[in-house]
Amino acid sequence: MRFVTYAGREGDRAGLLVSEEVYALPPGVRLVDLLGDLPAAGEAALRDPAEVVPLESVRLRAPVPEPPTVRDFMTFEQHVEGVAKLMGATVPEQWYAAPAFYFTNPYAVIGPHDDVPVPPGCGVFDFELEVAAVIGRGGRNLGVEEAAGHIAGYVLMNDWSARDLQLAEMEVLLGPVKGKDTATTLGPVLVTPDELEAYRSGNAFDLSMTAAVNGLTVGGDRWSNMSFSYSQMIAYASRGTEVRPGDVLGSGTCGGGCLAELWGRLGLEAHAPLAPGDTVTISVDLLGVQRCRIVEGAEPVADSLEAHRSP
């Protein structure tokens, strides 16, 4: 099944996507509250839809517009290697030991066709092509074998990145923070695992991932090339703590899924950073397409943020 959230006259509406029509659930019903039993929700929408609307007539929101948390991992070795080259490094041995991640900003989640502002103070803006798993059932200290049963579905994800801000703040061995927290695009659809099972391969699914800027393809990969599985990601995320329904766990950028990797492999002249007026299109087979326009963002407030230096 495929589910969407769209902007209704009186707030967000959730519904089941069938072909090019949305079978809506009752007003006030949020997708995040149904993640534990999406098949039952889909059957109810088919049996007695609150409304049926053409997909082309609605403004899609992120399927889960307000996730409790967003964790972003790094599971594609080709991407890690390419970005490491940009900094004159190699893949660190620790990367192979466990699926590393950071927490990004759940307040920054936007819809699949929304405009994306350049972060304040950013001069080197980039995209990241990823696929996220959305948690349907919570848990703590989950094992790898049981973790797959906690996935409600998968969603296309773009982790927009201010590379200059990111690299500067990570010099203090924290972050990324302001390099990542202006926008994270999710959608268009949340696809349940059974829809993808026929394509299972390696640690994910044998489906094509593609990224383009202004209509020109700049990179792509196969989703199956993940070096860690979502089950491993969930097990690690839940170690000593919880995952909860609606939590988003991004795969990290696929091979060829961002400009930083191009810069690492081919040099900074390989592609200009993103700028207002550019359009970024990312897609994954069966998960749909995001098409977002880059727009001017806010200027940084001119206050001084520098620390007091000891004499």
Side-chain angles (χ1 to χ4, degrees), residues 114-149:
D114 291 347
D115 291 345
V116 178
V118 176
C122 172
V124 187
F125 198 34
D126 197 0
F127 64 89
E128 294 194 349
L129 168 55
E130 313 186 18
V131 177
V134 178
I135 297 295
R137 292 192 299 116
R140 175 187 287 268
N141 292 320
L142 299 172
V144 172
E145 292 299 319
E146 63 182 317

Side-chain angles (χ1 to χ4, degrees), residues 244-266:
R244 295 184 177 182
D247 283 354
V248 172
L249 284 73
S251 64
T253 312
C254 68
C258 68
L259 298 179
E261 188 179 329
L262 279 181
W263 298 329
R265 296 184 185 281
L266 302 176

Side-chain angles (χ1 to χ4, degrees), residues 47 50 56 70 85 110 112 134 194 196 209 240 249 266-268 278 285 294 303:
R47 183 173 58 251
E56 65 180 13
V70 182
K85 288 179 181 292
I110 58 176
V134 178
D194 59 295
L196 306 171
M209 309 176 72
L249 284 73
L266 302 176
L268 296 177
D278 287 339
D285 291 346
I294 310 303
D303 297 337

